[in-house]
Amino acid sequence: MLNIGIIGYGGMGSYHHRELIKKEDGVQVVGAYDIKKDRLDAAKYAGLKTYESLEALLSNNTIDAVLIATPNDVHKDLAIQAMTSGKHVICEKPAMMSTEELDDVILVSNETGQVFMVHQNRRWDNDFLIIQDMYQKKPIGELFQIESRVHGANGIPGDWRHLEKHGGGMLLDWGVHLLDQLLFMVDSPVKEVSADLSYILGDEVDDGFIAYITFENGVKALVEVGTTNFVKLPRWYVKGLEGTAVIDDWDLSGKIVKQTGVIDHHNLVPIKAGQGLTKTMSPPSEDATTTLPIVEVDADYDGFYENFHDVVVNNATPIVKNDEVRNVLALIERIFEVAQSCI
Ligand code: NAD
């Protein structure tokens, strides 16, 4: 049994990870440390041993690993301190604020032999798995255009997420998830990147962004996060050589329209569109396409901690690899570098 101490008993630490760990026999949460007294009280109330200092938690020999679920700017120091104290580490995303920080942490992981593994949970999102399956099995042919978006209208939530020094902003928040999914799916190096960051709400950090990414294999992707979108665009819009798929939201509503017949380009019937006629935008004949439902793909997200346990105990291969995490951080750095601000 691996005993885990939680560092940062906030939203993710107190709820998400506690629930996830309960599902795995080989791991259990035994204690928590937080800089805020009310969060320590919450941990105590939930039956955990609480620690008044980080050092007190890290010097407890019954704790094998720590979960770091604090704001992003302290991930690095906490991870290094934990590993040099003999603890394995599960770290929330974004793993670090930069590739440089991550390199320092990986060095310590290699030197100490302690596992450092990042929680990239959205690799198990059903909507993503469906698109990944389409990318691999090609039911609508080779995907050549991938649009991945999340839109909300609540601005930047919480407190520290508004501040640069804590690693706030949407690129380091939702951006990490969407870019991780994209790089995990598209098996080709990134060739070109252009991007816009938005600062509509007047914060010092981006409240959204659009990034255009071209891969060396020719696939093009648009990744967008918006927090001022009162009408949402679909979560996924992907084009293949033989069809188009849309997934509207996390409820997996959407459809696949697949070309199954020949479109007679010479005999298209024009439609009235606005104050004009068009053949270009008239629908393909009903015989030429088939509409299919979105079908769920099996996922075993509960296996995240099972894998962590196996990595620590049996030297198994981590589901989330540190070089993958580094590639995402490198892409984020490139986006910050090339981005213009659009207001
Ligand atoms: P939160 O603000 O709800 O909780 C953070 C907690 O850390 C707070 O209780 C705070 O007091 C504590 N803290 C701050 N500095 C600390 C320190 N030096 N030592 C110990 N405790 C400290 O934030 P959250 O939403 O739980 O986010 C925490 C981390 O999880 C962030 O890195 C965030 O990006 C990540 N996150 C991941 C997902 C996901 O889907 N994987 C979702 C939300 C947040």
Side-chain angles (χ1 to χ4, degrees), residues 7-13 16-17 33-36 39 54 68-72 74-75 78 92-94 119-122 159-161 172-173 177:
I7 302 176
Y9 201 72
M12 285 306 277
H16 187 94
H17 284 273
Y33 164 67
D34 197 293
I35 51 169
K36 288 190 186 149
R39 296 316 300 156
L54 177 66
I68 298 175
T70 61
N72 308 332
V74 285
H75 288 183
L78 291 171
E92 259 306 341
K93 49 55 61 178
H119 181 239
Q120 287 297 161
N121 47 321
R122 292 198 176 277
D159 42 18
W160 60 266
R161 284 177 170 80
L172 280 172
D173 191 341
H177 286 303

Side-chain angles (χ1 to χ4, degrees), residues 38-95:
D38 63 319
R39 296 316 300 156
L40 278 181
D41 291 345
K44 199 176 285 175
Y45 184 73
L48 295 179
K49 178 167 173 44
T50 54
Y51 297 85
E52 296 298 324
S53 71
L54 177 66
E55 290 69 25
L57 184 147
L58 294 179
S59 62
N60 185 322
N61 290 332
T62 64
I63 293 181
D64 305 296
V66 297
L67 161 72
I68 298 175
T70 61
N72 308 332
D73 56 317
V74 285
H75 288 183
K76 177 190 162 183
D77 286 349
L78 291 171
I80 289 178
Q81 218 175 322
M83 288 189 287
T84 48
S85 306
K87 312 297 180 202
H88 301 289
V89 172
I90 306 125
C91 188
E92 259 306 341
K93 49 55 61 178

Side-chain angles (χ1 to χ4, degrees), residues 47 90 133 182 212 256 271 289:
I90 306 125
D133 201 54
L182 186 69
Y212 301 93
I256 298 171
I271 56 162
T289 62

